[in-house]
Amino acid sequence: MTPLTVPADETLGLLRARNRLREVESEATMQPYRNLAGNSGVEAFDILRDGIKVRFVSGGTYLYDYRVPGRTRVEEMKQLARAGRGLSTYIAKFGAEYAEKID
């Protein structure tokens, strides 16, 4: 059989569509960060079974999971996200490593 080839411009279009779908899905499940201190760089978050997605006010959504930066850090980030205080500071100190930049 001859392998199916897709022109580069169609492949790029499919990738853009897939990425946009991921953005919409991510936005739909994210909870606003309560920001009790009033000065957080975190806008919203989504707690996952083995990770947390964090969207920042300055732009960009990042996935932190049990692989990177690790289970202990992720569980602490989940607690801070639920509390609405300290998540941005914690990430600045300990969460510079992330598993994936989503957007």
Side-chain angles (χ1 to χ4, degrees):
M1 280 181 89
T2 305
L4 178 64
T5 58
V6 178
D9 57 333
E10 287 183 38
T11 301
L12 184 58
L14 291 172
L15 289 172
R16 285 184 181 146
R18 185 193 70 193
N19 287 341
R20 181 64 192 136
L21 179 61
R22 284 173 62 185
E23 288 174 25
V24 169
E25 288 172 346
S26 179
E27 290 169 10
T29 60
M30 297 199 89
Q31 300 176 45
Y33 184 64
R34 291 190 302 165
N35 190 13
L36 296 176
N39 59 354
S40 180
V42 174
E43 181 177 358
F45 66 94
D46 185 18
I47 293 179
L48 311 170
R49 183 177 49 81
D50 60 351
I52 184 171
K53 286 189 271 185
V54 179
R55 183 171 60 227
F56 292 91
V57 174
S58 60
T61 302
Y62 295 82
L63 171 66
Y64 302 86
D65 65 19
Y66 286 178
R67 294 174 301 120
V68 178
R71 182 184 196 117
T72 302
R73 298 230 193 266
V74 166
E75 290 303 318
E76 182 68 23
M77 291 167 73
K78 288 179 181 182
Q79 288 180 348
L80 294 168
R82 287 185 189 107
R85 184 180 209 117
L87 181 57
S88 184
T89 300
Y90 187 86
I91 291 171
K93 285 184 180 179
F94 304 111
E97 293 183 88
Y98 53 86
E100 180 182 351
K101 184 174 193 281
I102 297 171
D103 63 7

